[in-house]
Amino acid sequence: MRRADRTPVGTADFVVVSGVREERLFFHTDVCQEFGGSALVELLVSKALADSIREGATVVPLCPMFAGHLRVHGDAFTASGGVFREPTPDDIGVITRATLGEA
């Protein structure tokens, strides 16, 4: 996510797993401290989830920020057409391989 002047204010890192339906394994979210605050985190997570709905991807919330958001707002997310599932131990392996450049 960027400000109008193109300065980055936060990122939501994920790995894409292709299959019958694309999955996005969200594993890290970061908001720059100078722009920090819970409202910005919520905006970042909400935008990433809206993009996932629009692009037909299943969300897998490994990141605590995404998991917490979906615990509270999961029903609204699915009512809007979103799909998510709980992470599995295999998902941790995918993230580990991807971050080590092995995927």
Side-chain angles (χ1 to χ4, degrees):
M1 182 175 352
R2 298 179 184 275
R3 292 183 351 169
D5 67 1
R6 309 296 293 159
T7 302
V9 296
T11 60
D13 297 327
F14 61 92
V15 170
V16 173
V17 178
S18 297
V20 174
R21 180 182 176 105
E22 177 181 295
E23 292 187 331
R24 293 181 178 177
L25 284 63
F26 285 92
F27 65 94
H28 179 76
T29 306
D30 187 37
V31 175
C32 297
Q33 290 302 317
E34 65 185 275
F35 307 114
S38 60
L40 186 55
V41 170
E42 280 295 310
L43 180 62
L44 178 64
V45 170
S46 295
K47 168 111 175 62
L49 293 175
D51 288 348
S52 296
I53 291 171
R54 190 180 71 256
E55 295 169 17
T58 297
V59 171
V60 182
L62 290 142
C63 169
M65 290 181 199
F66 276 81
H69 181 90
L70 288 170
R71 264 193 302 281
V72 174
H73 305 288
D75 290 342
F77 177 66
T78 56
S80 296
V83 177
F84 71 99
R85 68 167 178 80
E86 293 297 317
T88 67
D90 288 342
D91 296 326
I92 302 295
V94 170
I95 295 301
T96 301
R97 288 188 301 279
T99 57
L100 294 175
E102 299 171 8

